[in-house]
Amino acid sequence: MWITLSLTAASGCSSFWKRDQNDEANNPKLAKLLKVPDPPDLVREAAIPHGMQSVRVNGVAIVNALPETGGPALPSGFRDMLLEEMKRKEIPNPNEFLERNDTALVQVRGTIRPGARRGDTLDLEILTPPKTEAIDLHGGWLLDTRLRHQKVLDSAVRSSDVLAVATGPVLTRADHEGEEDGALRVQGSILSGGVVQSDRKLGLVLRPDFQHVKMSAAIAQAINNRFYFFDGSTRRGIAEPIEDDFIQLDVHPRYRHNVARLMAVVRAIGVAPESSNTQVRLTELGERMKLPAKAADAALQLEGLGEPAIPTLLEAVRSSNPELRFYAAEALAYLDREEAVDPLIAAIRAEPAFRAPALKALEDMQHHNVVEGLTRLMDEPSLETRYGGFNTLRNREDGKQKLAGQNLRGTYRLYQVPSTATPAVVVSLRRKPEIVLFGDVQPLQIETFFLGPSGIMIRSVPESGQLRISRFQAGKDDAFAEVDNTLAAMLEGLTEVGGGYGDALSLLRMAKTQGILPDQLAFDPLPKSLRTYYRNEGSDEDDSDEDSKGFASDSESDSDGV
């Protein structure tokens, strides 16, 4: 009997197997579904980026500590949202709190960049509702609030989980743009006032023709052969095939501050394993590096090849063409090659279109001579170049030590940077509250006294040659400080009498307008991203008219120069 059952089972399995083979042979759709697609030459031919869009987050909150320049929160949907939030936090007497004149209801907005991690910061935009009793947010503090992403689905507003939390001192637009327009007094920002609450994932979505579990695994393996890091003592690649049509990516530490560059390089990686064809590909890419219209993409592919591409890039960085030198040096910088430093510093000095991406490439390079090169930029006539170099230095750990800077009672940092160029005062409106004094900045030219913002008065003391700073505010004790007659000492004395970052900006703007600040004053003169590079005519005999200009790519726009 057992023999009979065994034979029956065996014949049954055999018949099922034959039936599957017959089904595949007789069903072209099934055969097509099971067939592994031919691998593409490059990842980008098979996959498109996922998670590269910025996410807008919003919230409704209260600004308090206003000197009677706030006002009751008028009935509106914003007030209802805020009351609901206050009830969740179990705040007692919320309606009474919203009726005070030292508070104001505001909208809070922020943007979370691609690849952001939990704990990253973001700048916040502060707006008052169209109908408001508040007249000025200067000196206010945003109370803790939660920010969510909102979408309209099925004619209803849907909110995500909490993506960021926000708090901090408000910097009004009137502080740096002028007080002529009263609307600017109830609009503002908080530098780095938001904190991201969860990591943002990146990935690749495979195109329909390449959606197969083996293809997903092959592309992930190709990426991991190039990009990996050590998680503790374990080597781990950045790519993980999650589905047959999706590969999740971690941000490689070298590209932490330029996620767009990482994605561009990942998509320029070849899928086929390294072989004798690699040398052929290097030769072809080396020839493309000689053509301005093709060099930018060739540099990305060489960067995607990693170490084997270094000799080709080193040859290209010796080109007489400044555009070709830049593309090669940029790729070498992300491969942490010291030979990239001098060409990138030269590009920053000579060509505005290359400044932002070149500075970004230098930011995380692990070579001590990067600091030396960036320090040389402090003597450049271009204020954009100087502050761009300073910004990159400040973002580096070894650069922070060199710049030092003075923490003014936790309100902002003051830097005094030696420079042989024309003296200038630079104020930050993004990310870091800071004031930078380049060169031998002159003191304020005060003959008798100067009336600043928020009850601040600065008087010249002829007997001692010093400045006496006073501040008078209703409901508070008068505050006084006597300091040396230098701009740095004056700013330090301003914080001694309770002045904040907004007070410092407003005072500098007023002093410049009235002609008592002799040196240049600039707000965020950082290099712009995505500038166009115009090639010289005849730079490449194969170029068409459409190719007579190039584009220096960069992941994010740092700021608008002023």
Side-chain angles (χ1 to χ4, degrees):
M1 180 177 178
W2 286 106
I3 296 174
T4 304
L5 289 174
S6 300
L7 291 173
T8 303
S11 63
C13 289
S14 177
S15 64
F16 279 127
W17 174 247
K18 290 179 180 178
R19 189 185 308 163
D20 288 343
Q21 288 181 318
N22 292 335
D23 288 345
E24 184 177 337
N26 297 327
N27 191 338
K29 291 184 178 180
L30 180 61
K32 184 179 179 181
L33 182 65
L34 295 175
K35 182 183 177 182
V36 180
D38 293 332
D41 291 334
L42 304 176
V43 171
R44 66 188 178 204
E45 297 170 17
I48 59 176
H50 171 78
M52 292 301 293
Q53 296 80 24
S54 297
V55 173
R56 292 297 300 263
V57 289
N58 305 274
V60 181
I62 280 288
V63 171
N64 76 339
L66 297 171
E68 300 298 317
T69 57
L74 300 178
S76 67
F78 297 117
R79 179 182 174 118
D80 295 340
M81 291 171 60
L82 185 56
L83 283 172
E84 189 64 31
E85 187 73 21
M86 295 172 78
K87 289 177 182 177
R88 279 199 292 266
K89 294 181 180 179
E90 298 182 352
I91 296 176
N93 303 318
N95 282 294
E96 180 181 338
F97 185 76
L98 296 180
E99 293 298 316
R100 294 165 52 173
N101 288 328
D102 61 350
T103 65
L105 183 151
V106 296
Q107 298 171 258
V108 186
R109 297 176 182 172
T111 302
I112 302 177
R113 63 180 179 82
R117 294 180 180 177
R118 178 181 172 84
D120 286 355
T121 60
L122 61 144
D123 291 346
L124 304 174
E125 181 184 8
I126 306 299
L127 300 169
T128 52
K131 293 182 180 180
T132 180
E133 295 290 324
I135 58 175
D136 196 345
L137 300 180
H138 178 90
W141 182 277
L142 181 76
L143 297 181
D144 290 357
T145 186
R146 302 174 182 181
L147 305 182
R148 298 174 172 85
H149 180 57
Q150 296 179 334
K151 277 187 176 182
V152 178
L153 299 172
D154 298 328
S155 301
V157 178
R158 310 290 183 182
S159 297
S160 69
D161 293 333
V162 176
L163 299 182
V165 295
T167 189
V170 177
L171 178 67
T172 68
R173 289 181 59 187
D175 290 336
H176 53 89
E177 294 185 30
E179 299 180 352
E180 293 77 13
D181 185 352
L184 300 183
R185 300 178 185 178
V186 290
Q187 301 174 19
S189 60
I190 301 178
L191 307 190
S192 296
V195 179
V196 178
Q197 296 301 292
S198 57
D199 296 347
R200 286 202 61 199
K201 300 297 184 181
L202 301 177
L204 295 170
V205 177
L206 270 60
R207 303 180 193 274
D209 290 346
F210 295 93
Q211 291 178 2
H212 193 284
V213 64
K214 290 188 177 180
M215 180 55 60
S216 178
I219 292 176
Q221 184 61 51
I223 296 170
N224 290 336
N225 287 339
R226 170 63 179 88
F227 287 113
Y228 55 87
F229 56 93
F230 288 91
D231 187 2
S233 59
T234 305
R235 169 173 157 166
R236 185 163 67 87
I238 67 168
E240 180 182 359
I242 302 297
E243 302 284 350
D244 61 354
D245 63 347
F246 184 73
I247 300 170
Q248 184 172 293
L249 298 176
D250 287 330
V251 177
H252 190 276
R254 179 61 184 86
Y255 296 81
R256 179 75 179 89
H257 297 106
N258 199 343
V259 175
R261 179 78 180 187
L262 172 64
M263 185 63 77
V265 174
V266 163
R267 297 182 69 230
I269 290 175
V271 178
E274 286 192 28
S275 64
S276 57
N277 291 331
T278 301
Q279 190 57 46
V280 174
R281 188 178 172 209
L282 285 170
T283 303
E284 292 176 350
L285 292 173
E287 291 301 313
R288 292 186 194 178
M289 286 297 300
K290 299 175 183 178
L291 306 174
K294 300 178 180 179
D297 182 65
L300 284 174
Q301 293 189 49
L302 288 167
E303 189 177 329
L305 282 168
E307 292 290 331
I310 289 176
T312 305
L313 289 168
L314 288 175
E315 180 181 352
V317 86
R318 292 190 288 269
S319 170
S320 61
N321 186 308
E323 183 181 8
L324 303 183
R325 283 200 308 273
F326 166 71
Y327 293 139
E330 185 181 28
L332 285 169
Y334 285 101
L335 292 169
D336 276 321
R337 295 291 300 197
E338 188 175 1
E339 295 89 343
V341 177
D342 287 340
L344 287 178
I345 295 294
I348 292 166
R349 283 174 163 163
E351 178 49 55
F354 297 150
R355 281 179 192 151
L359 288 167
K360 185 66 70 176
L362 290 169
E363 185 171 324
D364 291 321
M365 278 192 70
Q366 301 300 311
H367 290 283
H368 67 277
N369 60 346
V370 174
V371 172
E372 180 186 346
L374 292 170
T375 303
R376 294 199 302 268
L377 296 179
M378 300 302 103
D379 295 326
E380 286 296 302
S382 164
L383 187 55
E384 175 186 276
T385 301
R386 270 185 276 167
Y387 188 53
F390 166 87
N391 187 65
T392 303
L393 264 176
R394 192 241 297 116
N395 288 340
R396 294 176 56 95
E397 287 300 323
D398 49 4
K400 284 180 184 178
Q401 298 171 7
K402 183 176 183 63
L403 292 171
Q406 183 180 1
N407 186 342
L408 296 186
R409 297 175 180 263
T411 56
Y412 63 95
R413 293 193 74 85
L414 175 65
Y415 295 89
Q416 299 182 68
V417 179
S419 174
T420 59
T422 304
V425 180
V426 175
V427 174
S428 171
L429 300 180
R430 301 179 186 225
R431 300 181 184 171
K432 303 282 187 180
E434 64 189 13
I435 297 177
V436 185
L437 309 181
F438 286 104
D440 297 324
V441 176
Q442 300 180 60
L444 298 182
Q445 307 298 301
I446 301 174
E447 294 184 1
T448 54
F449 66 90
F450 167 63
L451 292 177
S454 305
I456 295 169
M457 183 174 70
I458 304 177
R459 186 182 296 274
S460 176
V461 184
E463 298 81 11
S464 62
Q466 292 187 312
L467 297 176
R468 183 174 176 81
I469 303 174
S470 311
R471 189 175 194 186
F472 310 99
Q473 289 180 294
K476 294 184 178 181
D477 294 337
D478 298 342
F480 303 93
E482 195 159 312
V483 298
D484 292 336
N485 189 13
T486 66
L487 194 59
M490 187 275 294
L491 290 169
E492 184 177 1
L494 189 63
T495 62
E496 290 183 26
V497 298
Y501 190 52
D503 293 314
L505 267 61
S506 185
L507 189 148
L508 290 172
R509 175 186 53 78
M510 293 170 66
K512 187 64 180 177
T513 302
Q514 297 179 28
I516 65 171
L517 176 60
D519 292 311
Q520 182 180 2
L521 174 65
F523 296 94
D524 259 351
L526 283 166
K528 296 179 182 178
S529 299
L530 300 178
R531 281 172 168 163
T532 302
Y533 173 73
Y534 292 93
R535 303 184 184 115
N536 294 326
E537 292 185 8
S539 63
D540 179 11
E541 60 184 4
D542 294 328
D543 287 349
S544 65
D545 292 340
E546 290 293 325
D547 293 328
S548 62
K549 58 185 179 181
F551 297 91
S553 63
D554 189 37
S555 63
E556 45 186 318
S557 177
D558 291 300
S559 74
D560 294 328
V562 177

